[in-house]
């Protein structure tokens, strides 16, 4: 199935609530109504069509950059996930909503916010030394508190805190000084302090919050009498503050979120203002989008991903070092630097960007764990940056040992899983290799290359991986890089066939958001739908097959797995726990040399869907003679 169609199906396959359980909504887009059609037509046929004529020149720096710093920092950073002696779980930046804090009480917190350790130079240098090329910081998050000197509202850092400095001005100056592209996150649709904005249902009884007041997610249809209030907020605060940010700081990029809190027509009105005021500013895809349209310069995929679902065009993912975007003193779930080094290579290999977030403390200092992660990433990018900046996805198929990127006639092999003996077999690479070497080898001491067959080559590297997280081998080629699109599997090491990378036959499939244990294919509702992986083997191999899926109370049925002469039927039982990782050993399969197809198809679907499939593992079985 066409991946663009799948992306659209992903957007329209799940319901949208005003606020789902947890801190983020399943989807962030508008269900466009007739009310919005005039605004859509005006954009598609007029001002947006004109703005997209300069899209490529506007976004080129962003395409080249690949790696950026995301900062969530505000009044909420001071309590750091604690309020009145109580631990507050989840996203720390959602403190005001989660604890139903009034505007007056939030100002009490603001009166204590005095980040004396804030140093813009140190922040920007830390990002730059990590290898990041652009820097985005929260000028106003959902709490409505401006972290700059705003003349539109006195709910800001100058008027309501003892700090009396403008950190946005200092960061903008530091970025300009050090050649870093700079921009702002601005919460345009969610504003918990403003009496007319969506979100605050505890003090103002406004729509768009957890209580699902006034019709819930579609409040602007169920309660159209409230629309003038939202328009008033956009006119009096959102647009004027965006104008301030553009004129005072000349940002290169503006980043928005939660567009579904406002009707699409309002989001389009904001975007039109930006295009008229600052036509060269890059705008992310979460300002104005519906199930059919995305009006920004690039697409935003899911938050906190571990894997990436297929996306066409320009896109960006936003991981964070632990599980909260704002600083939380309780969240110690920081991932190792190797996770982000590999995630950066994975995103670049699929044509995307990585905007990596950290949440500084309320005193303005970076958490020590974040500093260590940034340092270790920087150690890698200093030596290997050429393999991720200004690159594109290569034409090679997926590899068992890692991923590949390309720039001109150079292929970069990002080897995460170093093979025994150091022999890296590159599947699907045709054509002539003129040179092979480790990217970290300044002298470009050559590595031996040999042809395995017409479609594959072998590169002999060191016996031990020079970099355990990601060793990069450079292959220089003559002429166009030709590729065999069929994936080559390793016969003596594990192969993971992710559902994200499968061929999806039939209509209705959608994707999970890619978080840990949520990189699944969903919407498997018909016997006409099947999941297929095609692959090659260069020698006979025996594997143990292990299937993984995420539990769902809406899933039940039976399915068949076929590959070679292997046939297996299995049940998906009822009463599964939602999100539980379920592992099923399917048996052992012997496969001959050649091309194979592993197919999973439903036999019976008893509930809403068959299952949320994550992957199939092929684990080599060693047989003794």
């Amino acid at each position: 199935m066409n991946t663009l169609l799948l992306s659209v199906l992903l957007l329209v396959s799940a319901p949208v609530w005003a606020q789902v359980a947890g801190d983020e909504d399943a989807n962030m887009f508008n269900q466009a109504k007739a009310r919005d059609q005039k605004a859509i037509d005006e954009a598609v046929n007029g001002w947006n069509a004109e703005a997209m004529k300069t899209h490529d020149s506007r976004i080129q720096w962003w395409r080249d950059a690949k790696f950026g710093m995301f900062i969530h920092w505000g009044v909420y950073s001071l309590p750091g996930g604690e309020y009145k002696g109580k631990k507050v779980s989840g996203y720390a930046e959602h403190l005001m909503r989660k604890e139903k804090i009034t505007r007056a009480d939030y100002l009490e917190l603001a009166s204590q916010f005095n980040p004396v350790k804030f140093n813009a130079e140190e922040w920007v240098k830390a990002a730059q030394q990590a290898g990041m090329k652009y820097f985005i910081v929260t000028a106003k998050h959902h709490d409505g508190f401006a972290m700059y000197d705003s003349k539109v509202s006195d709910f800001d850092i100058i008027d309501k805190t003892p700090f009396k400095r403008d950190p946005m001005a200092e960061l903008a100056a530091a970025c300009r000084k050090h050649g870093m592209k700079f921009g702002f996150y601005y919460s345009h649709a969610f504003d918990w302090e403003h009496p007319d904005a969506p979100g605050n249902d505890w003090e103002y009884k406004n729509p768009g919050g957890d209580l699902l007041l006034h019709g819930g997610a579609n409040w602007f249809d169920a309660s159209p009498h409230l629309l003038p209030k939202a328009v008033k907020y956009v006119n009096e605060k959102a647009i004027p503050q965006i104008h301030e940010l553009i004129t005072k700081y000349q940002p290169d990029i503006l980043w928005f979120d939660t567009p579904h809190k406002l009707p699409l027509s309002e989001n389009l009105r904001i975007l039109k203002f930006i295009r008229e005021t600052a036509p060269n500013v890059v705008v992310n895809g979460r300002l104005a989008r519906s199930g059919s349209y995305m009006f920004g310069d690039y697409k935003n995929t899911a938050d906190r991903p571990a894997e990436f679902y297929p996306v066409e065009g320009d896109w960006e993912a936003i991981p964070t070092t632990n599980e909260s975007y704002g600083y939380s003193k309780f969240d110690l779930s920081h991932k190792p630097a190797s996770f982000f080094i590999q995630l950066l290579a994975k995103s670049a290999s699929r044509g995307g960007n990585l905007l990596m977030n950290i949440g500084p403390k309320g005193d303005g200092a970076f958490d020590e764990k974040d500093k260590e992660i940034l340092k270790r990433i920087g150690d890698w990018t200093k030596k290997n940056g050429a393999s991720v900046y200004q690159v594109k996805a290569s034409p090679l198929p997926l590899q068992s040992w890692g991923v590949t990127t390309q720039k001109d006639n150079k292929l970069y092999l990002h080897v995460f899983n170093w093979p025994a003996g150091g022999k890296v077999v590159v599947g699907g690479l045709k054509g002539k290799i003129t040179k092979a070497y480790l990217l970290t080898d300044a002298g470009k001491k050559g590595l031996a290359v040999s042809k395995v067959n017409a479609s594959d080559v072998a590169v002999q590297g060191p016996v031990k991986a020079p970099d355990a997280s990601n060793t990069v081998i450079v292959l220089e080629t003559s002429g166009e890089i030709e590729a065999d699109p069929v994936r080559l599997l390793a016969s003596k090491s594990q192969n993971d066939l992710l559902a994200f990378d499968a061929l999806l036959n039939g209509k209705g499939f959608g994707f999970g958001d890619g978080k840990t244990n949520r990189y699944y294919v969903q919407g498997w509702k018909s016997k006409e739908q099947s999941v297929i992986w095609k692959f090659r083997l260069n020698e006979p191999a025996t594997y143990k097959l292990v299937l993984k899926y995420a539990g769902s109370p809406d899933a039940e049925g039976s399915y068949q797995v076929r590959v070679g002469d292997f046939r297996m039927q299995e049940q998906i039982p009822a009463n599964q726990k939602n999100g539980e990782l379920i592992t099923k050993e399917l048996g052992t399969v012997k496969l001959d040399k050649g091309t194979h197809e592993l197919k999973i198809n439903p036999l019976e679907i008893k509930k809403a869907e068959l299952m949320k499939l994550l992957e199939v593992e092929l684990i080599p079985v060693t047989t003794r003679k």
Side-chain angles (χ1 to χ4, degrees), residues 355-390:
L355 182 62
M356 178 181 147
N357 179 83
I358 69 166
K361 296 179 180 180
D363 62 6
F366 283 6
D367 183 277
E368 289 300 320
K369 294 180 285 298
D370 289 334
K371 289 166 69 173
E372 181 63 19
I373 290 170
L374 291 173
K375 178 186 178 300
R376 290 186 178 275
I377 294 173
D379 291 341
W380 185 88
T381 57
K382 283 181 183 68
K383 300 173 183 177
N384 298 283
S387 67
V388 289
Y389 308 128
Q390 298 180 325

Side-chain angles (χ1 to χ4, degrees), residues 518-536:
R518 282 161 61 172
Y519 52 95
Y520 47 68
V521 164
Q522 60 187 355
W524 207 343
K525 301 179 179 183
S526 166
K527 289 184 181 181
E528 304 305 314
Q529 295 170 279
S530 59
V531 177
I532 298 171
W533 295 270
K534 192 173 182 180
F535 57 85
R536 295 185 294 115

Side-chain angles (χ1 to χ4, degrees), residues 51-303:
M52 294 310 286
K53 290 179 180 178
T54 56
H55 173 253
D56 285 342
S57 60
R58 178 169 57 245
I59 202 175
Q60 190 57 52
W61 69 261
W62 179 92
R63 288 173 175 161
D64 291 341
K66 296 300 181 189
F67 192 26
M69 169 71 92
F70 207 13
I71 296 282
H72 277 63
W73 189 57
V75 171
Y76 46 80
S77 305
L78 181 62
E82 181 178 3
Y83 188 65
K84 294 185 176 180
K86 171 188 171 184
K87 175 184 175 180
V88 182
S89 61
Y91 288 167
E93 67 274 16
H94 282 237
L95 180 75
M96 188 179 187
R97 173 186 67 83
K98 299 185 81 167
E99 293 303 304
K100 311 304 179 189
I101 302 173
T102 64
R103 186 182 192 277
D105 286 346
Y106 204 71
L107 283 175
E108 281 296 312
L109 280 177
S111 70
Q112 304 166 46
F113 186 76
N114 190 23
V116 294
K117 294 184 180 180
F118 168 74
N119 186 306
E121 284 269 323
E122 290 181 1
W123 282 23
V124 171
K125 284 183 178 179
Q128 195 165 54
Q129 288 169 4
M132 294 160 168
K133 303 297 185 182
Y134 59 114
F135 192 107
I136 298 175
V137 60
T138 46
K140 188 198 85 167
H141 203 262
H142 304 330
D143 59 1
F145 195 87
M147 294 294 289
Y148 68 98
D149 184 11
S150 176
K151 305 306 180 185
V152 173
S153 168
D154 65 358
F155 200 68
D156 72 348
I157 193 169
I158 297 296
D159 292 299
K160 300 301 184 184
T161 80
F163 191 52
K164 304 303 179 188
R165 283 164 52 190
D166 184 339
M168 301 298 106
E170 294 177 29
L171 285 168
C175 282
R176 299 286 181 254
K177 176 181 176 181
H178 294 285
M180 178 87 73
K181 294 291 185 178
F182 177 72
F184 299 110
Y185 173 120
Y186 184 87
S187 178
H188 71 292
F190 237 169
D191 192 304
W192 299 325
E193 75 88 15
H194 199 284
D196 295 319
N200 186 328
D201 56 14
W202 57 94
E203 188 172 9
Y204 306 130
K205 306 306 178 188
N206 282 346
D210 299 317
L211 298 178
L212 308 181
L213 300 179
H214 311 293
N218 297 315
W219 67 266
F220 22 76
D221 296 316
S223 304
H225 65 281
L226 295 176
L227 270 173
K229 287 184 65 178
V231 172
K232 183 173 184 286
Y233 153 72
V234 169
N235 286 340
E236 295 182 0
K237 186 174 184 182
I239 287 179
Q241 284 196 329
I242 293 168
H243 184 255
E244 283 184 323
L245 294 174
I246 291 171
T247 55
K248 289 173 64 116
Y249 308 103
Q250 292 82 50
D252 302 294
I253 184 169
L254 290 173
W255 212 99
F256 298 92
D257 212 2
T258 65
H260 53 299
K261 302 299 177 182
L262 287 171
L264 181 60
S265 54
E266 284 302 293
N267 295 326
L268 286 172
R269 195 158 64 87
I270 294 171
L271 179 58
K272 182 181 180 183
F273 168 80
I274 295 169
R275 294 304 193 206
E276 291 174 345
T277 308
N280 293 322
V281 169
V282 173
V283 179
N284 77 319
R286 289 190 187 178
L287 171 54
R289 67 183 187 181
S290 70
S292 303
Y293 299 95
M294 195 285 294
F295 290 95
D297 286 308
Y298 63 87
K299 301 169 187 174
N300 288 103
T301 59
D303 301 352

Side-chain angles (χ1 to χ4, degrees), residues 325-500:
Y325 284 87
Y327 172 71
S328 172
K329 67 180 81 173
F330 302 108
D331 188 348
L332 306 179
S333 62
H334 293 73
K335 305 163 194 74
S338 58
F339 173 87
F340 298 104
I341 290 168
Q342 293 184 9
L343 201 66
L344 174 60
K346 287 179 183 179
S347 64
S349 76
R350 293 172 181 262
N353 279 26
L354 204 67
L355 182 62
M356 178 181 147
N357 179 83
I358 69 166
K361 296 179 180 180
D363 62 6
F366 283 6
D367 183 277
E368 289 300 320
K369 294 180 285 298
D370 289 334
K371 289 166 69 173
E372 181 63 19
I373 290 170
L374 291 173
K375 178 186 178 300
R376 290 186 178 275
I377 294 173
D379 291 341
W380 185 88
T381 57
K382 283 181 183 68
K383 300 173 183 177
N384 298 283
S387 67
V388 289
Y389 308 128
Q390 298 180 325
V391 299
K392 63 181 181 179
S394 88
L396 296 185
L398 293 170
Q399 305 290 325
S400 60
W401 37 258
V403 299
T404 62
T405 55
Q406 178 188 349
K407 183 178 182 182
D408 300 326
N409 71 324
K410 292 182 180 179
L411 278 172
Y412 298 98
L413 316 181
H414 296 262
V415 187
F416 306 153
N417 305 307
W418 196 253
K423 186 177 182 179
V424 179
V425 177
V426 187
L429 178 56
K430 300 180 177 182
K432 185 179 180 182
I433 309 257
T434 58
K435 191 180 294 185
Y437 52 91
L438 295 171
L439 182 54
T440 54
D441 182 4
K444 295 184 175 54
K445 181 180 179 181
L447 300 176
V449 178
S450 58
K451 269 284 187 183
V452 176
N453 52 46
S455 296
D456 311 313
V457 300
V459 182
Q460 183 59 57
V463 173
K464 183 179 179 182
D467 190 315
S469 60
N470 181 2
T471 296
V472 181
I473 296 173
V474 185
L475 302 182
E476 295 186 8
T477 65
S478 61
E480 290 290 322
I481 297 172
E482 297 181 58
D484 182 336
V486 181
R487 178 177 180 178
L488 176 69
L489 295 194
S491 57
K492 295 182 173 60
S493 59
Q494 180 171 320
N495 302 275
D496 298 327
L497 305 183
L498 301 189
F500 279 180

